Amino acid sequence: MSTKMILMANSLTHVRPFTCTTSRLVQQPPDLIKWVKTEGGFVHKSIKIAQDADDSFGFGLVASQDIPKGSDIIALPQHVPLKFGSESEAENSHSCLVKLAQHVPEELWAMKLGLKLLQERATKVSFWWPYISNLPETYTVPIFFPGEDIKNLQYAPLLYQVNKRCRFLLEFEKLLKRELENLKPDDHPFGGQDVDSSALGWAMSAVSSRAFRLYGSKRPGGTRSNVPMMLPLIDMCNHSFDPNAEIVQEEENSNNMLVKVVAGREIKQNDQLLLNYGGLSSDLFLLDYGFVIPSNPYDCIELKYDAALLDAASMAAGVSSPNFSSPSPWQQEILSHLNLVGPNSDLKVTLGGGELVEGRLLAALRAVLSSDESAVKQHNLKALKSLTVEAPLGISTEVSALRTVVALCVIALGHFPTKIMEDESLLKQNVSPTTELALQFRIQKKSLIVDVMKDLSKRVKLLLAKESCTHLE
């Protein structure tokens, strides 16, 4: 990683040095459960706020008694969630805030709502202060990692995203200063306070780790918009791929859309309330939420479809003369349909996750490693892209394709400067929380590559055994 990237990341830590993630903005914040009830919300009598037993998720919600399946656990009336751009926002509030939000790219949507969060944090008598004061003071997302721990991630696609977010925050800080420097105090969206990249990073991280995309206000045609919103108390539910609760929206009347948490199954005494944040890669869980899930079934490895690399991988796999660098015209046509060649091609392919081998990569390998044009054209792209369609072009081509992927995995592992055993040994030492996260992340990535290799090697072995049986017959 370049020195420039390290400096960018370090620049976000000079105001808020890393501290415990359970440290909240106010040492003794208002009672959040009481506030939700006061505002007309509902909280099940068995729910309490407690710190996670192993401190991996900070504070969460716990059942003090058994809660039957189907029970309402929390219900928030429409005015309690924190959203950007309510009906009155564009009309009266700070038009400057709306203008600033227009500079936020869609992929960093959390920054847009983060501006609203910062505005409310700066407001002396904010309606949402009882909620905001309960938010963590810091977040364990990589933009706040020390430079050395950003390098410790060892995974180029994630390093690129961290660099990109840091660069955006630094540039956005400059833009804010230009836009706000000549404003009158009454027009200043943050009460005249200086907003630097650290504050922006805090707000963006608070939103990305806690907000949900839900139905917003009704449009003229009766449909509802999809709106990111922060859900006080509800956002203290931690994540699980096997959740015991779910979020539902219920229209109480035309003016009030309740946001509720409902028990998806019986919740036992002392169990945490768990929601599924979604089938996300480990990159997104770390970038947006600040934690790593071991053996994440949705995780994947990003690779670039590179003809020279594929030629090298195929040769390492035993293919005598691969032609990824010089495909035949008919193969070129298939690659074009797969959007792997051409001016607007998408060269990012993945291994792992639900597909094991991304369909576009698998189809390309099968087509280019086959010399039989008529056999390839007997199959549609859907069949060529599916790993469940066993050896559509014959066992020999399939074995070459799968062995090429295994060789790609070996190359990908070689890009990591350390081995899994070394990382596991480092984890046993007294390392900082950010170093621990970086180690956990790169172990997850390397383990994923190893699992893909094992799975594909097993498939190759079965195919060769089947071919051997066929010859014997």
Side-chain angles (χ1 to χ4, degrees):
M1 182 177 61
S2 67
T3 305
K4 183 179 181 182
M5 186 186 298
I6 298 172
L7 289 174
M8 285 180 177
N10 279 342
S11 69
L12 298 184
T13 65
H14 70 281
V15 174
R16 293 183 187 275
F18 182 82
T19 58
C20 175
T21 57
T22 59
S23 174
R24 294 187 276 189
L25 287 181
V26 176
Q27 190 171 3
Q28 293 183 319
D31 186 325
L32 193 55
I33 292 177
K34 183 178 180 181
W35 177 71
V36 168
K37 290 179 177 179
T38 300
E39 291 302 323
F42 168 78
V43 182
H44 194 284
K45 63 180 181 180
S46 300
I47 294 303
K48 63 179 181 179
I49 298 173
Q51 192 163 337
D52 185 41
D54 62 4
D55 200 30
S56 57
F57 288 111
F59 286 97
L61 300 181
V62 175
S64 60
Q65 300 175 23
D66 292 354
I67 301 176
K69 177 182 178 180
S71 300
D72 288 351
I73 300 175
I74 303 170
L76 301 180
Q78 189 162 295
H79 68 281
V80 171
L82 177 60
K83 305 182 284 281
F84 186 96
S86 61
E87 288 79 0
S88 60
E89 185 81 50
E91 296 172 5
N92 57 27
S93 195
H94 293 279
S95 60
C96 179
L97 201 69
V98 176
K99 184 179 178 182
L100 290 172
Q102 293 171 352
H103 293 277
V104 178
E106 179 57 32
E107 64 181 297
L108 297 178
W109 59 269
M111 188 70 264
K112 182 176 178 180
L113 182 51
L115 291 171
K116 173 68 174 175
L117 176 62
L118 283 174
Q119 180 191 39
E120 295 299 330
R121 181 177 172 179
T123 302
K124 290 184 178 179
V125 191
S126 169
F127 167 78
W128 284 282
W129 178 246
Y131 165 61
I132 294 171
S133 62
N134 275 275
L135 293 177
E137 183 184 10
T138 58
Y139 291 90
T140 54
V141 292
I143 60 170
F144 288 115
F145 280 18
E148 191 61 31
D149 283 333
I150 292 179
K151 288 195 295 183
N152 282 334
L153 293 167
Q154 296 185 350
Y155 182 60
L158 183 60
L159 295 177
Y160 170 78
Q161 290 297 330
V162 175
N163 185 11
K164 186 177 180 179
R165 293 189 180 198
C166 291
R167 187 167 58 245
F168 164 77
L169 290 168
L170 292 169
E171 291 301 318
F172 200 46
E173 174 188 355
K174 296 176 185 176
L175 186 146
L176 254 67
K177 292 186 184 303
R178 290 196 302 270
E179 294 288 337
L180 303 179
E181 62 181 349
N182 296 320
L183 286 183
K184 298 176 182 178
D186 290 345
D187 295 330
H188 198 289
F190 309 113
Q193 295 188 51
D194 182 47
V195 177
D196 60 11
S197 57
S198 179
L200 291 170
W202 173 85
M204 186 170 73
S205 302
V207 173
S208 71
S209 64
R210 308 180 82 89
F212 297 83
R213 284 185 176 270
L214 300 173
Y215 291 127
S217 303
K218 272 189 178 179
R219 296 186 175 117
T223 60
R224 290 186 179 272
S225 55
N226 189 292
V227 178
M229 56 183 78
M230 300 184 78
L231 307 178
L233 194 63
I234 290 177
D235 63 12
M236 296 189 77
C237 295
N238 286 319
H239 165 77
S240 173
F241 288 131
D242 183 26
N244 54 20
E246 59 184 356
I247 292 180
V248 298
Q249 285 182 276
E250 187 176 286
E251 191 167 340
E252 192 176 53
N253 54 58
S254 59
N255 296 316
N256 192 16
M257 174 74 85
L258 291 176
V259 180
K260 300 168 69 174
V261 172
V262 178
R265 61 172 185 258
E266 182 182 11
I267 299 174
K268 296 292 187 180
Q269 183 179 8
N270 297 325
D271 281 356
Q272 284 195 60
L273 262 64
L274 300 170
L275 296 171
N276 188 343
Y277 294 177
L280 306 176
S281 69
S282 294
D283 306 48
L284 288 177
F285 272 121
L286 186 57
L287 273 171
D288 288 341
Y289 295 94
F291 58 79
V292 176
I293 297 175
S295 304
N296 177 2
Y298 301 97
D299 197 19
C300 60
I301 288 287
E302 288 185 17
L303 301 173
K304 180 182 179 182
Y305 185 88
D306 180 273
L309 177 64
L310 288 167
D311 279 337
S314 294
M315 291 179 68
V319 179
S320 58
S321 54
N323 61 328
F324 289 96
S325 297
S326 54
S328 303
W330 65 269
Q331 293 171 330
Q332 188 87 1
E333 182 182 354
I334 291 174
L335 293 175
S336 179
H337 286 307
L338 294 170
N339 200 25
L340 291 172
V341 295
N344 298 314
S345 57
D346 176 11
L347 300 181
K348 186 185 82 173
V349 292
T350 60
L351 299 176
E355 284 190 291
L356 192 65
V357 180
E358 186 186 322
R360 294 188 309 136
L361 174 60
L362 182 61
L365 291 171
R366 284 169 167 171
V368 176
L369 291 171
S370 174
S371 58
D372 191 338
E373 179 181 356
S374 60
V376 173
K377 290 190 172 180
Q378 286 176 10
H379 301 277
N380 57 31
L381 282 182
K382 183 177 180 181
L384 292 176
K385 290 163 69 175
S386 175
L387 197 57
T388 58
V389 179
E390 187 179 278
L393 304 179
I395 289 179
S396 177
T397 298
E398 192 75 356
V399 167
S400 295
L402 298 185
R403 281 178 169 170
T404 298
V405 178
V406 171
L408 285 174
C409 288
V410 173
I411 294 170
L413 275 178
H415 287 161
F416 289 94
T418 59
K419 294 181 171 58
I420 293 177
M421 289 181 63
E422 295 175 73
D423 297 338
E424 290 174 339
S425 177
L426 287 171
L427 264 182
K428 295 175 183 177
Q429 301 176 19
N430 187 25
V431 297
S432 70
T434 53
T435 301
E436 183 177 357
L437 280 170
L439 289 169
Q440 289 173 343
F441 176 82
R442 73 195 201 203
I443 288 173
Q444 164 73 18
K445 288 295 179 184
K446 295 171 195 176
S447 299
L448 170 62
I449 297 173
V450 171
D451 289 343
V452 171
M453 292 171 65
K454 287 180 178 177
D455 189 304
L456 295 180
S457 297
K458 183 178 179 182
R459 290 172 187 264
V460 168
K461 188 175 180 180
L462 291 172
L463 286 169
L464 292 175
K466 184 177 291 188
E467 185 179 44
S468 177
C469 290
T470 303
H471 289 161
L472 288 175
E473 292 173 0

